[in-house]
């Protein structure tokens, strides 16, 4: 009888332990803190990863090339350059070779790139880089190292080459030439999004686009590469703008699902960007 009781107690104890483990695992699986935030661009069978702040900067640099009507190659060169110079971060310091270098492209006020405040402005810095790039004859067909060096005049000209594949993958997605090829895995937003901030961001990055705000969503009547450039820009900026869903050309990116782009139930054209609602 005692053996039977001990067996019952042992079984119950194991059941309690198993139940506790299951509950802990279930909680952990739902925990937002376990989500590793990142953005990934796919090019063929290759994937390239950036942190969310790097991807946001990459999206602005690429969007400005679209706004200027430059070929995707220009954005590839710019992204490889900015990755080498600043790790695609808007840093406010230089190095021994350029102590007054600043910003995404480490441009030097002492070398005529502009004031410190100007080169720390990502929009100004990106345009300044492209202003230099378009003066390089044949930059479209040059190796990235040659084109970047012609603009930057770096002490380490070959260093740009190591970022060529990353630059090409993100540029192709962010200029809209590769559909549904950029995904960001993010935690759910802690604050409500502002559709007006989304419109302002698009205007800064791409120039004027007719946008309609309906509730928590921003709708844009765009198509083709322009649609995918804006859609991927929205995904790359989803963290800072509390964007929860992007719909483009019959495809949907949903922040909560964290599984990339999928066919949408609504195959309509254009781009719709939805931000999070206020918590109650």
């Amino acid at each position: 009888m005692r053996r039977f009781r001990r067996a019952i107690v042992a079984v119950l104890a194991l059941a309690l332990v198993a139940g506790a483990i299951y509950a802990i695992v279930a909680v952990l699986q739902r925990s937002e803190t376990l989500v590793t935030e990142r953005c990934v661009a796919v090019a063929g069978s290759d994937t390239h990863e950036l942190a969310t702040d790097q991807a946001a900067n990459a999206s602005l640099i690429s969007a400005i090339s679209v706004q200027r009507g430059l070929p995707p190659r220009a954005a590839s060169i710019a992204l490889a350059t900015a990755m080498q110079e600043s790790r695609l971060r808007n840093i406010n310091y230089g190095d021994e070779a350029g102590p007054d270098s600043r910003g995404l492209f480490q441009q030097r006020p002492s070398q005529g790139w502009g004031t410190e405040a100007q080169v720390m402005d990502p929009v100004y810095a990106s345009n300044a880089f492209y202003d230099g790039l378009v003066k390089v004859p044949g930059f479209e067909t040059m190796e990235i190292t040659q084109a970047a060096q012609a603009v930057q005049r770096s002490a380490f000209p070959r260093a740009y080459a190591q970022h060529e594949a990353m630059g090409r993958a993100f540029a192709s997605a962010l200029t809209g030439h590769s559909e549904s090829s950029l995904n960001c895995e993010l935690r759910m937003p802690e604050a409500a999004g502002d559709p007006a901030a989304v419109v302002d961001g698009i205007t800064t990055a791409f120039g004027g686009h007719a946008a309609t705000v309906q509730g928590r969503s921003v709708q844009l009547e765009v198509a083709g590469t322009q649609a995918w450039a804006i859609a991927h820009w929205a995904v790359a900026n989803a963290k800072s703008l509390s964007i929860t869903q992007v719909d483009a050309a019959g495809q949907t990116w949903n922040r909560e699902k964290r599984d990339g782009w999928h066919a949408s139930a609504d195959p309509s054209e254009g781009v719709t960007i939805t931000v999070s609602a206020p918590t109650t």
Side-chain angles (χ1 to χ4, degrees):
M1 189 67 177
R2 289 180 180 177
R3 289 181 180 177
F4 179 74
R5 288 177 180 173
R6 283 199 294 268
I8 292 295
V9 170
V11 169
L12 290 174
L14 287 172
L16 287 172
V17 170
I21 292 173
Y22 177 83
I24 291 170
V25 170
V27 169
L28 289 175
Q29 286 177 336
R30 292 193 298 268
S31 175
E32 291 289 307
T33 60
L34 294 182
V35 176
T36 300
E37 296 190 311
R38 61 179 188 151
C39 294
V40 175
V42 178
S45 60
D46 297 329
T47 60
H48 299 272
E49 181 177 325
L50 291 176
T52 55
D53 62 321
Q54 292 173 309
N57 286 327
S59 74
L60 177 63
I61 293 169
S62 301
I64 289 174
S65 78
V66 173
Q67 183 182 155
R68 294 176 63 126
L70 297 174
R73 182 67 171 173
S76 296
I77 296 166
L79 294 184
T81 302
M83 176 58 92
Q84 174 58 30
E85 297 290 359
S86 68
R87 304 300 297 174
L88 271 169
R89 291 188 165 105
N90 196 33
I91 55 178
N92 63 352
Y93 55 86
D95 56 19
E96 290 184 6
D100 65 331
S101 298
R102 297 290 186 272
L104 288 169
F105 293 92
Q106 288 290 276
Q107 293 153 334
R108 301 183 64 183
S110 65
Q111 300 298 314
W113 283 100
T115 67
E116 181 172 339
Q118 285 176 322
V119 298
M120 283 296 297
D121 175 0
V123 174
Y124 175 93
S126 298
N127 275 305
F129 178 83
Y130 289 129
D131 286 345
L133 183 64
V134 297
K135 294 176 183 176
V136 179
F139 77 86
E140 301 93 336
T141 57
M142 280 184 178
E143 290 186 9
I144 277 183
T145 52
Q146 292 178 309
Q149 177 63 6
V151 179
Q152 297 292 103
R153 299 177 183 175
S154 169
F156 307 99
R158 302 302 302 176
Y160 301 112
Q162 63 188 310
H163 307 298
E164 180 172 0
M166 178 283 301
R168 187 165 52 247
F170 273 90
S172 184
L174 291 166
T175 60
H177 285 78
S178 295
E179 298 180 2
S180 58
S181 59
L182 188 147
N183 176 41
C184 292
E185 296 178 9
L186 305 169
R187 303 182 189 102
M188 291 302 290
E190 297 179 354
D194 181 3
V198 174
V199 174
D200 289 344
I202 292 170
T203 301
T204 297
F206 294 96
H209 276 285
T212 302
V213 175
Q214 292 190 349
R216 310 303 302 171
S217 295
V218 176
Q219 298 177 345
L220 299 103
E221 296 299 323
V222 288
T225 58
Q226 191 75 57
W228 280 107
I230 292 175
H232 285 147
W233 172 91
V235 173
N237 288 274
K239 181 175 181 178
S240 62
L241 293 173
S242 295
I243 293 169
T244 55
Q245 184 165 311
V246 181
D247 295 278
Q251 297 282 318
T252 295
W253 174 86
N254 185 284
R255 179 172 181 156
E256 185 175 11
K257 292 181 178 179
R258 303 189 185 102
D259 59 356
W261 290 89
H262 293 281
S264 172
D266 180 9
S268 60
E269 293 294 322
V271 175
T272 300
I273 302 167
T274 304
V275 300
S276 62
T279 56
T280 55

